[in-house]
Amino acid sequence: MTTSLPTYQIPDRNLALELVRVTEAAAMAAGPWVGRGDKNAADGAAVEAMRTLISTVSMNGTVVIGEGEKDEAPMLFNGERVGDGTGPDVDVAVDPIDGTTLTAKGMPNAVSVLAVSERGSMYDPSAVFYMDKLATGPEAADVVDIRLPVAENIRRIAKAKGTSNNGVTVVLLDRPRHEGLAQEIRDAGARIKFISDGDVAGAIMAARPNTGVDLLLGTGGTPEGIIAACAIKCIGGVIQGRLAPKDDEEKQRALDAGHDINRVLTTHDLVRGDNCFFVATGVTDGELLRGVRYREDGCTTSSLVMRSKSGTVRAVEGEHRLSKVAEYASEQYQ
């Protein structure tokens, strides 16, 4: 049995270029906080700018993945209505800064991200905040399985890419919970690229060519998994996940909500349909995007704009006058 999405106005391709203005604004607002050690201030600035710009986008959006319950943020919360209300009915996932710690420490790969898909198409992650994840690119998408041993997935990826196990690089959040997983990866002969934060960027690096990363593994946020699934729908590859309740109370909440915690969630389970958008703008330099660069009277931004229906990925370089940025990005540009 297949389930059809409700009939709503379909998101149009022109929406993509409206959306990138939103992540550009968030990245530019966060830029002055790079390396200043205050991740909450950076996130607050990005949220404020994103919320201001997203209200001008021609869509009737509902935030499904927001900064609400998980991060205890005051704005862009789950269930909030966004857009100007005149366009298509859509689900919206926001992460004003994927990598707030990276931003605060001036480290690579912090990005501002936004994903949009048809109304009712995004998985509801509210019952469980974390999930075990696996992501890789198109070459190995059909041969990996999160239920297999780590060494077997690495072997299959190596074979699909025409290399050996020691030619495979796995991106992994640097967390104590991953000590055993890291040892399994090394025992299989693969290399590890640890990241301290930002596994949306990590998943995209695993799916995109020429990033030096072949596979993402480990436990990270369920909301971030859904945002990454929107990107992977656009660029190809696969993301798989299993809910990972942190305690018995969360496990029971998941069961009460009707979730099967043993089920493998595929890309299509996380984002149904085939008309979604993903945009990202670099906050700091990284393998995926350049960060915000400043000059005397302005700055430049580097963004990716993707749409699943066409399979198009566009690189967008923006030049901005700081006098205009100040209109929506509070006092740091005054």
Side-chain angles (χ1 to χ4, degrees):
M1 181 180 296
T2 59
T3 302
S4 299
L5 295 176
T7 301
Y8 295 107
Q9 184 179 340
I10 301 300
D12 182 79
R13 62 181 177 275
N14 293 330
L15 184 60
L17 294 181
E18 287 197 66
L19 295 174
V20 75
R21 294 171 51 244
V22 180
T23 55
E24 287 175 340
M28 288 187 289
W33 294 99
V34 170
R36 292 174 60 184
D38 191 340
K39 69 176 186 178
N40 292 328
D43 193 49
V47 170
E48 180 183 348
M50 179 171 277
R51 193 165 194 256
T52 299
L53 263 291
I54 203 171
S55 67
T56 69
V57 176
S58 299
M59 64 180 182
N60 180 24
T62 300
V63 176
V64 176
I65 310 296
E67 288 235 319
E69 188 177 354
K70 182 172 184 279
D71 294 320
E72 299 181 354
M75 296 184 288
L76 290 170
F77 54 86
N78 293 356
E80 184 173 353
R81 301 297 291 271
V82 293
D84 68 2
T86 64
D89 299 278
V90 293
D91 288 347
V92 178
V94 300
D95 199 343
I97 305 178
D98 179 43
T100 53
T101 299
L102 301 177
T103 301
K105 293 183 177 181
M107 297 172 66
N109 292 315
V111 294
S112 174
V113 298
L114 172 64
V116 168
S117 64
E118 297 170 70
R119 177 66 54 83
S121 61
M122 286 188 187
Y123 182 80
D124 180 3
S126 57
V128 180
F129 292 146
Y130 293 96
M131 68 190 307
D132 299 326
K133 303 177 195 175
L134 176 154
T136 192
E139 302 96 330
D142 295 332
V143 299
V144 293
D145 189 325
I146 196 171
R147 295 166 294 190
L148 293 173
V150 170
E152 178 60 19
N153 277 317
I154 290 171
R155 185 193 69 80
R156 292 185 178 197
I157 288 174
K159 182 179 179 181
K161 292 194 168 190
T163 187
S164 59
N165 283 16
N166 59 19
V168 174
T169 298
V170 181
V171 65
L172 186 66
L173 281 169
D174 191 3
R175 299 287 189 272
R177 64 177 178 263
H178 289 153
E179 289 180 3
L181 178 57
Q183 190 59 54
E184 288 185 69
I185 293 168
R186 289 176 173 138
D187 289 344
R191 298 173 294 202
I192 298 175
K193 177 182 176 62
F194 280 113
I195 54 175
S196 66
D197 204 355
D199 70 345
V200 172
I204 297 170
M205 284 190 283
R208 289 269 286 168
N210 305 317
T211 63
V213 173
D214 305 288
L215 174 65
L216 172 131
L217 291 174
T219 304
T222 305
E224 288 82 356
I226 296 163
I227 294 173
C230 287
I232 289 173
K233 275 233 166 183
C234 299
I235 60 180
V238 67
I239 183 169
Q240 298 175 359
R242 284 185 300 196
L243 297 178
K246 61 185 178 181
D247 52 34
D248 289 341
E249 181 180 348
E250 193 171 70
K251 180 179 178 180
Q252 189 58 52
R253 189 161 65 243
L255 295 173
D256 291 343
H259 294 294
D260 178 356
I261 61 174
N262 296 313
R263 178 187 175 191
V264 174
L265 298 166
T266 66
T267 311
H268 183 72
D269 294 320
L270 296 172
V271 184
R272 297 184 295 132
D274 191 34
N275 195 13
C276 61
F277 299 83
F278 175 90
V279 294
T281 301
V283 177
T284 62
D285 288 348
E287 289 88 346
L288 197 61
L289 291 162
R290 285 190 296 105
V292 181
R293 302 286 181 90
Y294 294 92
R295 58 180 190 273
E296 183 179 355
D297 62 344
C299 63
T300 61
T301 55
S302 175
S303 304
L304 288 174
V305 181
M306 311 177 188
R307 188 189 188 201
S308 65
K309 192 170 185 179
S310 61
T312 304
V313 179
R314 289 184 171 89
V316 177
E317 301 296 312
E319 297 184 2
H320 311 269
R321 291 165 53 193
L322 292 188
S323 60
K324 295 297 183 181
V325 177
E327 295 175 4
Y328 55 78
S330 73
E331 72 280 354
Q332 62 261 35
Y333 290 107
Q334 303 297 329

